[in-house]
Amino acid sequence: MLFSKACIYGIRATFYVSLYQGKREFIPINEISDALGISFHFLTKILQKLTRNSIMISYRGPKGGITLARAPEDISILEIIKAIDGEESLNSCILGLPGCGTERPCPLHDEWGPKRDALYQIFANTTLKNINEKFLIENFRISWKDNGGSTH
Amino acid sequence: MLFSKACIYGIRATFYVSLYQGKREFIPINEISDALGISFHFLTKILQKLTRNSIMISYRGPKGGITLARAPEDISILEIIKAIDGEESLNSCILGLPGCGTERPCPLHDEWGPKRDALYQIFANTTLKNINEKFLIENFRISWKDNGGSTH
DNA sequence: GATATTTAAGACAAATTTGTCTTAAATATG
DNA sequence: CATATTTAAGACAAATTTGTCTTAAATATC
């Protein structure tokens, strides 16, 4: 399990919001938690991490909710991961040894290091716009429910 | 964090034992926990999972301890991972969606899937003998202590 | 056989993650 | 201004993971 549940929830919720970018204003969190089958209060706390990290903007009251703080092409998956699971989750030793690297590798560094760095780059370079585009051509889903959140 | 702490401890302990394969009989668990800085009782419970899965053999009493159940070339890293973290830890969806695959992918399946499968194959094909050989030519370490467990 | 050593097993505790609930604050609407 | 809606915040609880402790069982050695 590479990501925590909180991180998974945060990513899925962000994808959901991103799908409506430019079409609707603020998306209420209860709509997201219903659509994705996530506890409302738990999701609220997770999304607060994203608003504190300027990935989302929230607005209180009727017609309130959350929305992306920037254009989808300016938000990477990596930003979400870092905001929730932290910087270390995608750049540290697979055996947890501090200082593991090419000069002082752990026995699995040659195997994990390149894959980890490639994943880091992929998540750094994949934006919400990329995800949105893929939704248009593939039958993606972000919920265990059939096609939860997808508009087609 | 791809592996649980228990899994990390199990892998490191197995590497330690493997380094002595053919040179010593049973290695006492307290020696391992001391060398690697792992709680003795916690490590004992983890290693019991490995003995139950026929990866290690244990022996009680004076001169007792644990040793590999098979030759190092017949034990893969993947076996250890499966025994401790379970089968799903290296073959499931990064967003935790059941049934995620090429026919019903999650939005990150194209990114994670190939890397995950490659890691699976790497761990399936990397044996303790491979790790032992690498120890001979590189300054590996399996402890935060300087060169913990290495014999040179 | 007595003793010391070592793993096995399970109860228990601490820490972390996950999830729930209540109250407060902000805001749109009538 | 009153009310309903919605996020913010924090207390609290449940679940899981991690770590500790005690007792039992096995075994080598004297």
Side-chain angles (χ1 to χ4, degrees):
Chain A
M1 174 163 291
L2 189 60
F3 298 150
S4 69
K5 276 195 165 194
C7 191
I8 289 172
Y9 294 163
I11 292 172
R12 290 169 60 208
T14 306
F15 286 170
Y16 184 93
V17 171
S18 182
L19 284 173
Y20 290 113
Q21 193 68 192
K23 300 172 186 163
R24 295 170 60 190
E25 290 289 335
F26 294 96
I27 313 289
I29 298 176
N30 63 30
E31 174 185 332
I32 306 171
S33 64
D34 283 353
L36 303 186
I38 303 170
S39 148
F40 167 74
H41 290 287
F42 192 35
L43 182 58
T44 295
K45 284 200 296 189
I46 295 163
L47 292 175
Q48 283 169 12
K49 286 190 180 181
L50 298 184
T51 60
R52 287 194 208 100
N53 281 273
S54 300
I55 295 168
M56 299 272 207
I57 291 173
S58 66
Y59 194 82
R60 293 202 244 199
K63 297 195 175 175
I66 61 167
T67 191
L68 299 184
R70 283 165 272 141
E73 59 263 35
D74 290 332
I75 299 175
S76 69
I77 312 295
L78 183 64
E79 279 187 85
I80 306 167
I81 296 166
K82 282 187 178 179
I84 299 172
D85 272 355
E87 172 80 31
E88 311 73 29
S89 63
L90 267 181
N91 65 11
S92 59
C93 172
I94 199 172
L95 295 184
L97 299 182
C100 176
T102 47
E103 68 293 339
R104 301 225 58 204
C106 81
L108 295 181
H109 178 77
D110 294 343
E111 284 77 20
W112 171 240
K115 291 277 179 290
R116 177 197 64 196
D117 295 344
L119 275 172
Y120 189 98
Q121 286 305 318
I122 287 173
F123 290 136
N125 294 327
T126 302
T127 68
L128 295 179
K129 188 184 182 192
N130 298 137
I131 301 294
N132 283 345
E133 287 166 350
K134 295 172 87 174
F135 261 97
L136 295 177
I137 56 175
E138 250 189 290
N139 186 26
F140 281 144
R141 60 183 180 142
I142 54 180
S143 170
W144 47 268
K145 303 175 183 179
D146 272 350
N147 220 359
S150 184
T151 51
H152 63 283
Chain B
M1 174 163 290
L2 188 61
F3 299 150
S4 69
K5 277 195 165 193
C7 190
I8 289 173
Y9 293 163
I11 292 171
R12 291 169 58 207
T14 306
F15 286 169
Y16 184 93
V17 171
S18 182
L19 284 173
Y20 291 113
Q21 193 67 193
K23 300 171 186 163
R24 296 171 58 190
E25 290 289 334
F26 294 96
I27 313 290
I29 297 176
N30 63 29
E31 174 186 330
I32 306 172
S33 64
D34 283 353
L36 303 185
I38 303 171
S39 148
F40 167 75
H41 290 287
F42 192 35
L43 182 59
T44 295
K45 285 200 296 189
I46 296 163
L47 292 175
Q48 282 168 12
K49 287 190 180 181
L50 298 184
T51 58
R52 286 193 208 102
N53 281 272
S54 300
I55 295 168
M56 299 272 208
I57 291 172
S58 66
Y59 194 82
R60 294 201 244 201
K63 297 196 175 175
I66 61 169
T67 191
L68 300 184
R70 282 165 273 141
E73 59 263 34
D74 290 331
I75 299 175
S76 69
I77 311 296
L78 183 64
E79 278 188 86
I80 305 166
I81 297 167
K82 282 187 178 179
I84 299 172
D85 272 355
E87 171 80 32
E88 312 72 31
S89 64
L90 267 180
N91 65 12
S92 58
C93 172
I94 198 172
L95 296 183
L97 299 183
C100 176
T102 47
E103 67 293 339
R104 300 226 57 206
C106 81
L108 295 181
H109 179 76
D110 294 344
E111 284 76 20
W112 171 240
K115 290 279 179 290
R116 177 199 63 194
D117 295 346
L119 274 172
Y120 189 98
Q121 285 307 317
I122 287 172
F123 290 136
N125 294 327
T126 302
T127 68
L128 294 179
K129 189 183 182 193
N130 297 137
I131 301 295
N132 282 347
E133 287 166 349
K134 294 171 87 173
F135 261 99
L136 294 177
I137 57 175
E138 250 188 290
N139 187 25
F140 281 144
R141 58 183 181 145
I142 52 180
S143 170
W144 48 267
K145 303 175 182 178
D146 272 351
N147 221 358
S150 182
T151 50
H152 64 283

